[in-house]
């Protein structure tokens, strides 16, 4: 977990009033591994997994600047980054059908290498119109590229594929397969054009009406590029008619192990465009009553159009106390990633503890159409908040807000849809009298050779309620100044409806109880922060307590819901300004080295026995423990 982190920032003058600011940053965090010993698959027991942060190398370049031009300002900002990660998949034991004893007699841990390249640049021009208005036009383009590469692996179907040697009485396996491969690339790019006008209008005896109007055009595109053939194919010809058996006599798995590559079937290069118009207004009546409202119209090339709005009110009862409230509606179109992503991956089957291939099917694919799942549609929401702000003195302030968020047709990842074991006629699917039609899930998934499938769908409605309280207090103490801050947060999310468009999958099959638990209890229902900063002369001392509430999950342990208790983590830091140009600080996060509860060793079987010491689906906070640091800041 050692981290090397360095940054450099420098500003340059451009002309009379122009400037250019450039920052570079480099981070090199080493991996963390909190896996326990594997007592099921190896003897003697040893750690076989990598569970924690990846080993990474990250480099960043950021810039922003501006220069006077034609009575206004030409401005720009953007950046480039490259991040390389080194992580691993699930361990393949020596006797697993997904390994090759001649290459890996003791099993192997697939090694996944990722490279992320991001870039963005925004250029705009802003200027005044008269004394009370200004305008701003800008173009912002960004793109992201996420590449995958697999090492320390094998394509079992390539290794055991029969070699059709002419004249040979019995074909023998090739016994050849690359142990590394490019497994594909994800790409996303977006271009946004904005035009905004802001100013004020006199409206009689009342205070001026602050007004903003504008428009936006956005184009976004998503692409998946296939990996090397060995990363995804079944044998060298990718012909499912060829019988290829693994070391255990079962059908050999296609693709390289760990992160199977994207195939040409998953390749996509598609996108959409949209435009929006908005108006935002705000004014005061009588000096104490503030009213604000906004309307936004959006039109998508693939979803049609919608109009959303917001109304905000605030009343100042005194100079120190005010009430405020907001009502708004929301709209979120599915992301292009949700629309176009598909992939085949290997996960642990929670019912057996064995590795199983999972197909993530894109919307409107052969799989989703066979299940009768409609194409994705937009989410809609209604938001309400009510609170107060109180500032009786310059040294004390308190705010509190209650809120509620209702989301209709929420886009979620479905449950893992697995083939039936018992058919509609009550007989095992292998002997069902009515044939495959009595086992429709098995019939749909069989051509794809996967143990389960999942996909994005609009399956639920949710309601979230909560309260936020923020208090700040400053006072003189021990010859210095003490600043105290309290941030208190509670929330509760409920799934208010489950639905399914499928005649095959019921609502509880499409989004099962374990998924409901993840939505309702998978995030802490409380998060509180108490912080004190005492400063005197050149020194400042910080002590902070972070409380995370309990969470629960059952996605990997069907029939058993485990609760991971909440806990308080403590951070501390001390800094000293050696001079106007040099500052040194040391500190730590989670200084008492607190860890979440461990997985129940009995009810969570087989995961603790496989080395998954802590939860896999959800936890109230991370599994890395204490993190201590020393930092030097130098201005030159």
């Amino acid at each position: 977990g050692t981290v090397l982190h360095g940054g450099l920032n420098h500003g340059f003058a451009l002309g009379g009033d122009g400037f250019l600011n450039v920052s570079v940053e480099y981070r090199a965090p080493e991996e963390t591994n909190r896996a326990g010993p594997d007592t099921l698959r190896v003897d003697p027991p040893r750690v076989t997994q990598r569970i924690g942060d990846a080993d990474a190398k990250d480099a960043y370049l950021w810039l922003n600047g501006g220069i006077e031009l034609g009575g206004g300002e030409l401005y720009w900002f953007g950046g480039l980054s490259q991040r390389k990660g080194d992580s691993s998949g699930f361990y393949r034991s020596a006797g697993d059908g997904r390994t090759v004893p001649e290459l890996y007699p003791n099993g192997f841990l697939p090694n996944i290498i990722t490279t992320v390249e991001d870039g963005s640049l925004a250029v705009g021009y802003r200027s005044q119109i008269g004394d009370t208005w200004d305008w701003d036009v800008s173009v912002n383009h960004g793109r992201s590229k996420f590449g995958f590469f697999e090492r320390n692996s094998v394509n079992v179907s390539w290794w055991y594929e029969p070699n059709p040697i002419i004249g040979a009485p019995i074909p023998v396996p090739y016994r050849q397969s690359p142990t590394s491969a490019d497994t594909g690339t994800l790409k996303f790019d977006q271009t946004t054009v904005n035009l905004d006008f802001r100013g004020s209008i006199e409206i009689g005896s009342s205070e001026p009406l602050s007004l903003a109007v504008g428009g936006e055009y956005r184009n976004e595109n998503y692409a998946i590029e296939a990996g090397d053939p060995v990363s995804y194919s079944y044998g060298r010809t990718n012909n499912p008619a060829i019988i290829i058996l693994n070391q255990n006599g079962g059908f050999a798995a296609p693709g390289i192990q760990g992160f199977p590559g994207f195939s040409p079937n998953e390749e996509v290069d598609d996108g959409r465009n949209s435009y929006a118009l908005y108006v935002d207004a705000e004014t005061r009546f009588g000096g104490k009553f503030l009213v604000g409202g906004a309307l936004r119209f959006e039109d998508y090339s693939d979803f049609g159009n919608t109009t959303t709005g917001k109304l905000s009110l605030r009343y100042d009862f005194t100079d120190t106390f005010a009430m405020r409230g907001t009502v708004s509606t929301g709209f979120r179109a599915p992301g292009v990633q949700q629309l176009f992503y598909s992939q085949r991956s290997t996960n642990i089957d929670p019912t057996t503890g064995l590795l199983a291939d999972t197909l993530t099917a894109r919307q409107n694919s052969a799989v989703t159409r066979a299940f009768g799942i409609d194409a994705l549609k937009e989410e809609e929401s209604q938001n309400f908040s009510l609170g107060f702000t109180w500032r009786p003195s310059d040294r004390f302030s308190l705010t509190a807000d209650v809120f509620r968020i209702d989301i209709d047709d929420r886009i979620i990842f479905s449950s893992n849809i697995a083939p039936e074991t018992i058919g509609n006629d009550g007989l095992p699917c292998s002997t069902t009298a009515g044939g495959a039609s009595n086992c429709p899930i098995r019939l749909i998934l069989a051509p794809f050779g996967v143990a389960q499938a999942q996909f994005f769908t609009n399956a639920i409605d949710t309601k979230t309620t909560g309260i936020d309280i923020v208090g700040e207090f400053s006072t003189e103490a021990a010859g210095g100044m003490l600043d105290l801050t309290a941030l208190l947060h509670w929330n509760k999310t409920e799934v208010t409806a489950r639905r399914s468009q499928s005649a095959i999958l019921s609502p509880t099959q499409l989004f099962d109880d374990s998924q409901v638990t993840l939505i309702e209890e998978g995030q802490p229902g409380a998060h509180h922060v108490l912080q004190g900063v005492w400063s005197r002369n050149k020194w400042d001392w910080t002590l902070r307590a972070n409380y995370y509430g309990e969470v629960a999950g059952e996605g990997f342990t069907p029939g058993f819901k485990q609760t991971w208790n909440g806990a308080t983590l403590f951070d501390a830091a001390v800094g000293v300004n050696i001079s106007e140009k040099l500052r040194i600080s040391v500190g730590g996060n989670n200084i008492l080295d607190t860890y979440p509860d461990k997985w129940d060793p009995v009810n969570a079987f087989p995961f603790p026995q496989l080395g998954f010491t802590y939860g896999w689906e959800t936890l109230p906070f991370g599994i890395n423990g204490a993190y201590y640091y020393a930092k030097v800041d130098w201005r030159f």
Side-chain angles (χ1 to χ4, degrees):
T2 301
V3 178
L4 174 66
H5 185 190
L8 178 67
N9 172 271
H10 189 65
F12 304 88
L14 295 180
D17 296 315
F19 73 96
L20 174 65
N21 187 277
V22 180
S23 296
V24 294
E25 184 179 357
Y26 178 77
R27 296 182 75 253
E30 294 181 349
E31 71 168 292
T32 61
N33 193 358
R34 298 297 181 262
D38 186 334
T39 60
L40 283 184
R41 296 176 293 187
V42 293
D43 187 20
R46 60 182 173 85
V47 173
T48 59
Q49 299 282 161
R50 290 173 65 187
I51 302 174
D53 291 349
D55 187 76
K57 301 288 187 294
D58 306 334
Y60 307 87
L61 168 68
W62 307 107
L63 60 86
N64 69 294
I67 189 170
E68 286 190 0
L69 182 67
E73 182 188 29
L74 176 69
Y75 64 89
W76 59 87
F77 56 87
L80 298 171
S81 68
Q82 184 180 80
R83 293 168 287 160
K84 293 185 177 181
D86 182 329
S87 60
S88 296
F90 293 114
Y91 172 72
R92 271 68 170 162
S93 59
D96 193 288
R98 290 173 172 80
T99 190
V100 173
E102 291 91 332
L103 290 177
Y104 304 108
N106 298 316
F108 69 98
L109 186 66
N111 186 203
I112 303 171
I113 306 299
T114 58
T115 302
V116 183
E117 297 176 352
D118 295 329
S120 65
L121 178 64
V123 178
Y125 182 80
R126 54 194 169 204
S127 181
Q128 283 192 301
I129 304 175
D131 296 330
T132 59
W133 281 80
D134 62 70
W135 67 284
D136 188 329
V137 61
S138 62
V139 179
N140 191 337
H141 177 75
R143 51 91 179 150
S144 182
K145 179 181 177 182
F146 199 128
F148 297 88
F149 190 86
E150 191 85 14
R151 301 188 306 200
N152 195 49
S153 187
V154 65
N155 184 324
V156 178
S157 67
W158 276 46
W159 184 271
Y160 289 109
E161 181 181 9
N163 187 352
I165 300 176
I166 297 177
I170 300 176
V172 296
Y174 277 97
R175 298 194 181 279
Q176 293 178 349
S177 170
T179 57
S180 62
D182 182 331
T183 52
T185 302
L186 305 176
K187 292 182 177 181
F188 174 70
D189 63 83
Q190 183 182 85
T191 300
T192 305
V193 181
N194 289 93
L195 175 63
D196 303 285
F197 297 88
R198 294 177 296 270
S200 61
I201 299 175
E202 296 293 335
I203 52 174
S205 59
S206 301
E207 294 191 15
L209 176 69
S210 297
L211 192 64
V213 296
E216 177 181 270
Y217 171 81
R218 182 168 66 247
N219 177 271
E220 48 193 345
N221 197 80
Y222 183 69
I224 298 177
E225 295 180 352
D228 295 335
V230 69
S231 75
Y232 60 81
S233 66
Y234 175 73
R236 288 155 179 77
T237 60
N238 205 26
N239 182 2
I242 298 175
I243 297 178
I244 306 175
L245 303 180
N246 61 33
Q247 63 164 320
N248 297 326
F251 283 100
I256 204 157
Q257 291 299 303
F259 185 88
F262 296 106
S263 74
N265 292 332
E266 284 88 53
E267 280 194 315
V268 66
D269 189 351
D270 206 344
R272 67 168 176 226
N273 56 72
S274 64
Y275 71 89
L277 302 171
Y278 77 91
V279 57
D280 191 330
E282 182 178 284
T283 190
R284 283 185 178 273
F285 295 96
K288 292 188 175 183
F289 191 34
L290 179 69
V291 180
L295 287 174
R296 181 179 178 92
F297 171 84
E298 296 181 79
D299 186 277
Y300 288 80
S301 59
D302 51 355
F303 286 97
N305 58 69
T306 185
T307 300
T308 55
K310 179 179 71 172
L311 175 64
S312 298
L313 304 174
R314 173 183 168 123
Y315 188 79
D316 295 314
F317 290 90
T318 68
D319 291 339
T320 62
F321 181 81
M323 295 286 295
R324 59 190 180 187
T326 299
V327 178
S328 65
T329 60
F331 169 92
R332 191 182 79 83
V336 289
Q337 296 88 344
Q338 293 173 321
L339 292 174
F340 304 126
Y341 183 78
S342 61
Q343 194 235 337
R344 183 187 184 114
S345 61
T346 304
N347 295 295
I348 291 181
D349 187 329
T351 59
T352 65
L354 302 177
L355 297 177
D357 280 356
T358 298
L359 175 66
T360 300
R362 62 175 287 182
Q363 69 141 14
N364 201 30
S365 63
V367 171
T368 57
R369 288 196 300 269
F371 279 118
I373 300 297
D374 293 342
L376 287 177
K377 61 181 180 180
E378 68 278 3
E379 296 177 346
E380 295 183 340
S381 65
Q382 301 82 43
N383 309 272
F384 313 89
S385 67
L386 179 66
F388 71 85
T389 176
W390 182 41
R391 191 177 185 87
S393 70
D394 292 338
R395 292 191 174 185
F396 177 70
S397 67
L398 179 67
T399 64
D401 295 277
V402 295
F403 62 87
R404 173 172 167 170
I405 305 170
D406 295 334
I407 302 177
D408 300 327
D409 297 317
R410 185 164 172 172
I411 300 171
I412 51 85
F413 225 11
S414 73
S415 302
N416 286 323
I417 310 300
E420 310 93 336
T421 55
I422 301 297
N424 296 331
D425 56 2
L427 298 175
C429 283
S430 58
T431 61
T432 180
S437 61
N438 278 317
C439 303
I441 299 177
R442 185 175 296 271
L443 178 66
I444 291 171
L445 296 183
F448 299 94
V450 294
Q452 50 198 6
Q454 57 183 175
F455 36 80
F456 289 105
T457 181
N458 301 88
I460 63 173
D461 299 339
T462 63
K463 176 181 71 175
T464 300
T465 54
I467 182 171
D468 287 312
I469 299 175
V470 179
E472 295 179 317
F473 177 69
S474 299
T475 185
E476 296 178 0
M481 181 61 69
L482 177 64
D483 297 313
L484 301 175
T485 303
L487 310 173
L488 308 178
H489 171 82
W490 293 269
N491 74 80
K492 181 180 181 181
T493 296
E494 301 171 80
V495 175
T496 56
R498 284 186 273 184
R499 64 180 64 88
S500 173
Q501 312 101 10
S502 171
I504 297 172
L505 303 173
S506 68
T508 54
Q509 284 179 296
L510 185 61
F511 197 75
D512 62 26
D513 291 344
S514 66
Q515 294 290 84
V516 172
T517 298
L518 182 62
I519 290 287
E520 295 186 338
E521 304 177 57
Q523 299 294 323
H527 181 207
H528 310 318
V529 180
L530 301 177
Q531 176 178 283
V533 179
W534 180 72
S535 56
R536 180 182 179 184
N537 298 327
K538 297 180 179 182
W539 292 82
D540 56 77
W541 303 72
T542 301
L543 180 63
R544 181 170 49 250
N546 294 275
Y547 172 77
Y548 298 91
E550 67 179 28
V551 300
E554 55 181 320
F556 288 84
T557 53
F560 169 66
K561 180 169 71 173
Q562 176 162 338
T563 297
W564 286 271
N565 294 315
T568 301
L569 278 56
F570 292 93
D571 306 334
V574 57
V576 57
N577 297 311
I578 303 298
S579 67
E580 293 183 354
K581 296 184 177 182
L582 181 63
R583 174 180 171 81
I584 298 175
S585 54
V586 295
N589 300 330
N590 188 9
I591 58 175
L592 299 184
D593 199 28
T594 301
Y595 284 83
D597 297 337
K598 294 183 177 181
W599 231 336
D600 187 301
V602 176
N603 293 303
F605 179 88
F607 292 95
Q609 290 73 20
L610 295 173
F612 295 82
T613 305
Y614 303 98
W616 184 256
E617 181 183 26
T618 182
L619 285 172
F621 52 90
I623 61 174
N624 283 334
Y627 175 82
Y628 306 104
Y629 61 86
K631 183 168 64 173
V632 177
D633 293 282
W634 178 42
R635 297 176 61 87
F636 57 91

